[in-house]
């Protein structure tokens, strides 16, 4: 066990955990932020996507010991009032079905728009293919990313 | 399903729903009405009631609507409350929606399955809203001493033509003393504000901000975490286990056995319990378990599938017989036969199976879960664990996908047994590997098809023989393989094609794998054989596949309407670019009716899907946008089942383990789906969640035949190499 001071959504948390524990379980079970989801545990589904200094990572496959002083952003930190352009577009186009994958989808989409404010379909394909959706919301995600690009 | 009701007295109910003071509670009395709800009032001083309270209006003005259908992604969190809100003249932002948890007073319809939610509630719930509104109107007219015809309800208020108005909360006390209208007047659909409209779903902002609470997000005080090891070889017995190393893992507190119960199957399991989930997982890895495989370790898909092919020579049990198939087929001038095969597949919702259960002193049990069947949990768990009536509480959270998987309570059994053993709340989470390897799964079906045509190319005889393990046999110990089994011949005798001579059959194949319903159930595999073979008949008849189908539909039917709509929206008759092909398929079954036209183009050694047109027939639609989403998603799920690996067995166990080798269609692989809804009224309402699945694979494979001349008769296939 070791004590880590990690920064999530601009707040500092102290946790006493195994160094090999994936960041996902630290966020969910120790910090208590449950918007970040567990789907596969092997970086295949993207449900656990968070940002590490703005870059999307799969927190299920990222040990807490590797976080260091970097800033973590989870779905709860995207906006205070569900009003990021991606979230607004998601609501306007009613993207989620069960919603379970959507925290991860939104984290990937937010990072995409930051890097490419006017993404092409090919850009979207690349950015989003690591996020599985069993409900099959892909076509709405594509439309919503284009819509969000207009809203920004 | 039979309706049941129990006696609830008013005090109990008020306590249960947490309200204080007089209010108006309107629900359905289910007693002696043959399952048809009678609107009733629970607000008066009546001692006992048989009632399903669906709406409560409190003096404060707070309005609570109870939703009995678990939200699994299908949008019932909006569509069910909207049925009441529409007639009550309130918007959904004016009400609190509460999910029911199998409580007896909410009746027997507390489940999500069979695409049933909206259609089974459509009239009853509107009556509930309409009755409450009429009582509020009457109360206002009496208070103001004006004719009720001069009053109207709007936005949670009763308004008088003079400009006077009163909120519902101000009127409930008086309203609650009135008689419930015997036959409340329902609104003219032309005046609907919510129903039939694309109303935003109230759960969506929660699902865009991480605030939606799924089963896996629940934490209760003093809770421990559990990870459960099952034997990868189906049907093994537990011999012994060594937990010394597991217990050395920091955080691990206990190791206990439990039993996974699913259908008729009972599987032994060993659970590692720890003060955090990661520790439980590490402890589980350190377990050394000895299993007795009982001969099941040689089971494999290849041999089993060959067995199915051999079984196809059996006559089987007759599922449906009309005209004289045998004689007509024998004498027919044109005939054909084909054999179709489909795979076992997994449900794989992204939220893994999980449950929090808490056993408390005095035989009290509380369960928190993502589940499709709270009503069933209350019924069956009270019995299985001797929990007295009223001592079992189930909390239904948002389900991170259902697809039929959460109709089964195996993971809930495990959590309940563990909390009972250790006397502490337990949070059990299956890993993705647990989910992929243990199933339950959708069974494969193999189909032996025969068809005959007259000399001028008219279909005169048809046979669909299903060879498969049985869903029913997976449930029941005393399954009789000599009786017809509707679970395995679903829909094959209900298609509207007018073919005079038809004999459909089922050959039962024994199995020891837990097979269960998957979204759209057996229709998802049978439709593939059925509608591809209809295509083969069209080719043999040298007819256009759309015209061939319509030619067998001389009478008016919803199927005919669906095909005509598909023809129109896909521009069926318009020539396609070189290298393209188009295919059509439809399927009608218990859940409803849908159809597709798919267009593909040749691309290298494979094909590319160019266009997907879908038509779903509902009769009446509550939220068109939600229905469209259901069909869009169904197409993705159907494409996965058609072109991804599916589930195979070797050495007694599932070969696939996680999403890397049990792949789902990804973002970049899915073309858009153009969905059209038929809602032309009529007496029946059809379902929305499932009908988008069955006809997809046959439409795709028929298109591939049109483009390449290659007839695909086995799923899955490689779309990059056909
Ligand atoms: S849970 Fe991390 S990628 Fe699936
Ligand atoms: S919305 Fe259900 S998994 Fe994506």
């Amino acid at each position: 066990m070791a004590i880590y001071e990690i920064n999530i959504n601009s707040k500092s948390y102290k946790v006493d955990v195994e160094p090999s524990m994936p960041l996902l379980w630290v966020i969910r079970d120790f910090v208590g932020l449950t918007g970040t989801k567990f789907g596969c545990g092997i970086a295949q589904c993207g449900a656990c996507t968070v940002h590490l200094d703005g870059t999307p990572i799969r927190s299920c496959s990222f040990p807490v010991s590797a976080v260091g002083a970097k800033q973590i952003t989870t779905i709860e930190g995207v906006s205070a009032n569900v009003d990021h352009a991606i979230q607004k577009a998601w609501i306007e186009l009613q993207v989620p079905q069960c919603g379970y994958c959507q925290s991860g989808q939104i984290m990937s989409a937010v990072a995409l728009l930051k890097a490419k404010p006017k993404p092409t379909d090919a850009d979207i394909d690349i950015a989003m293919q690591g996020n599985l959706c069993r409900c099959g919301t892909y076509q709405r995600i594509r439309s919503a990313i284009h819509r969000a690009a207009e809203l920004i | 399903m039979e309706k049941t009701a129990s006696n609830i007295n008013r005090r109990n109910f008020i306590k249960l729903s947490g309200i204080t003071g007089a209010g108006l509670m309107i629900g359905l009395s289910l007693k002696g009405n043959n399952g048809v709800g009678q609107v009733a009032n629970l607000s008066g001083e009546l001692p006992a009631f048989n009632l399903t309270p669906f709406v409560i209006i409190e003096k404060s003005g707070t309005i609570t609507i109870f939703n009995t259908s678990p939200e699994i992604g299908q949008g019932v969190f909006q569509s069910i409350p909207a049925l009441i809100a529409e007639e009550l003249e309130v918007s959904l932002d004016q009400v609190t929606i509460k999910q029911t948890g199998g409580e007896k007073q909410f009746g027997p319809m507390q489940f999500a399955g069979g695409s049933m939610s909206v259609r089974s509630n459509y009239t009853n719930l509107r009556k509930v809203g309409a009755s409450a509104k009429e009582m509020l109107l009457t109360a206002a007219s009496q208070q103001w001493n004006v004719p009720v015809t001069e009053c109207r309800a709007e936005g949670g208020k009763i308004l008088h033509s003079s400009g006077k108005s009163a909120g519902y909360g101000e009127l409930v006390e008086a309203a609650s003393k009135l008689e419930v209208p015997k036959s409340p007047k329902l609104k003219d659909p032309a005046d609907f504000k919510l129903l039939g409209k694309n109303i935003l779903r109230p759960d969506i902002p929660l699902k865009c901000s991480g605030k939606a609470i799924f089963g896996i997000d629940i934490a209760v005080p003093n809770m421990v975490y559990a990870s459960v090891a099952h034997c990868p070889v189906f049907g093994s017995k537990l011999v012994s286990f060594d937990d010394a190393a597991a217990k050395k893992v920091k955080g691990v507190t206990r190791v206990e056995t439990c039993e996974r119960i699913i259908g008729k199957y009972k599987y032994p399991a060993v659970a590692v319990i720890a003060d955090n989930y990661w520790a439980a997982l590490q402890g589980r890895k350190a377990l050394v378990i000895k299993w007795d495989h009982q001969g099941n370790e040689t089971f494999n898909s290849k041999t089993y599938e060959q067995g199915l092919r051999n079984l196809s020579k059996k006559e089987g049990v007759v599922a449906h017989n009309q005209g004289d198939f045998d004689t007509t087929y024998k004498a027919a001038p044109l005939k054909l036969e084909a054999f179709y095969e489909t795979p076992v597949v997994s449900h794989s919702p992204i939220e893994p199976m999980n449950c929090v259960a808490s056993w408390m002193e005095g035989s009290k049990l509380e369960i928190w879960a993502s589940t499709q069947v709270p009503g069933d949990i209350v019924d069956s768990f009270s019995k299985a664990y001797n929990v007295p009536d009223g001592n079992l509480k189930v909390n239904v959270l948002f389900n991170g996908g259902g697809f039929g998987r959460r109709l089964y309570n195996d993971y809930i059994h495990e959590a309940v047994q563990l909390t009972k053993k250790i006397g502490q709340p337990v949070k059990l989470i299956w890993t993705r590997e647990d989910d992929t390897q243990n199933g339950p799964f959708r069974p494969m079906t193999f189909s032996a098809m025969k068809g005959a045509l007259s000399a001028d190319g008219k279909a005169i005889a048809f046979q669909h023989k299903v060879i498969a393990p049985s869903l029913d046999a997976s449930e029941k110990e005393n399954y009789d393989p000599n009786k017809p089994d509707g679970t395995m011949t679903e829909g094959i005798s209900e298609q509207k094609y007018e073919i005079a001579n038809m004999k459909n059959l089922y050959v039962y194949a024994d199995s020891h794998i837990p097979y269960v319903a998957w979204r759209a159930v057996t229709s998802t595999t049978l439709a593939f054989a059925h509608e591809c073979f209809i295509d083969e008949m069209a080719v043999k008849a040298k007819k256009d596949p759309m015209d061939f189908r319509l030619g067998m539909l001389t009478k008016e039917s919803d199927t005919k309407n669906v095909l005509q709509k598909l023809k129109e929206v896909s521009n069926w008759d318009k020539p396609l670019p070189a290298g393209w092909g188009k295919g059509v398929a439809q399927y009608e079954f218990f859940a409803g009716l849908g159809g597709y036209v798919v267009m593909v183009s040749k691309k290298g050694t494979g094909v590319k899907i160019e266009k997907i047109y879908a038509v779903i027939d509902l009769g009446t639609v509550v939220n068109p946008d939600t229905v469209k989403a259901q069909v869009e998603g169904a197409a993705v799920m159907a494409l996965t089942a058609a072109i991804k690996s599916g589930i195979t067995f070797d050495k007694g166990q599932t070969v696939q383990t996680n999403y890397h080798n049990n792949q789902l269609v990804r973002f970049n692989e899915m073309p858009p789906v153009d969905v059209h809804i038929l809602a032309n009224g009529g007496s029946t309402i059809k379902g929305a969640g499932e009908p988008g699945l069955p006809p997809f694979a046959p439409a795709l494979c028929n298109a591939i035949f049109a483009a390449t001349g290659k007839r695909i008769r086995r799923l899955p296939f490689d779309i990059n190499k056909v």
Side-chain angles (χ1 to χ4, degrees), chain A:
Chain A
M1 304 284 266
I3 297 193
Y4 296 94
E5 197 166 332
I6 52 175
N7 188 296
I8 304 178
N9 305 331
S10 311
K11 250 172 114 172
S12 178
Y13 297 89
K14 234 183 226 162
V15 291
D16 185 8
V17 294
E18 290 295 328
S20 62
M21 186 181 288
L23 177 60
L24 170 66
W25 299 112
V26 175
I27 293 171
R28 287 183 56 83
D29 292 348
F30 288 80
V31 175
L33 293 172
T34 55
T36 307
K37 302 301 191 208
F38 168 55
C40 69
I42 58 163
Q44 282 290 315
C45 75
C48 65
T49 306
V50 300
H51 293 177
L52 189 72
D53 276 352
T55 307
I57 59 156
R58 311 294 179 220
S59 64
C60 70
S61 305
F62 196 94
V64 62
S65 54
V67 174
K70 297 209 168 84
Q71 308 271 325
I72 296 155
T73 310
T74 68
I75 181 73
E76 291 89 347
V78 165
S79 69
N81 302 308
V82 207
D83 55 3
H84 186 284
I86 285 286
Q87 291 169 313
K88 281 202 229 161
W90 246 240
I91 293 167
E92 184 183 321
L93 299 183
Q94 298 279 287
V95 171
Q97 288 186 30
C98 84
Y100 192 78
C101 72
Q102 298 295 337
S103 298
Q105 306 280 5
I106 289 172
M107 295 315 285
S108 293
V110 166
L112 166 66
L113 272 203
K114 214 174 347 149
K116 300 201 166 158
K118 295 277 172 231
T120 63
D121 278 338
D123 295 332
I124 298 174
D125 275 347
I126 293 166
M128 302 308 293
Q129 61 182 264
N131 290 84
L132 290 174
C133 176
R134 186 56 160 158
C135 296
T137 62
Y138 299 137
Q139 91 185 58
R140 290 188 184 218
I141 290 175
R142 186 187 300 283
S143 311
I145 292 174
H146 286 308
R147 176 72 184 128
E150 290 169 12
L151 291 174
I152 276 180

Side-chain angles (χ1 to χ4, degrees), chain B residues 123-143:
Chain B
T123 306
N124 275 347
L125 291 191
R126 285 178 58 204
K127 274 199 218 158
V128 167
S131 298
K133 178 181 66 189
E134 274 186 27
M135 291 160 84
L136 292 161
L137 278 165
T138 307
S141 76
Q142 288 175 355
Q143 209 158 301

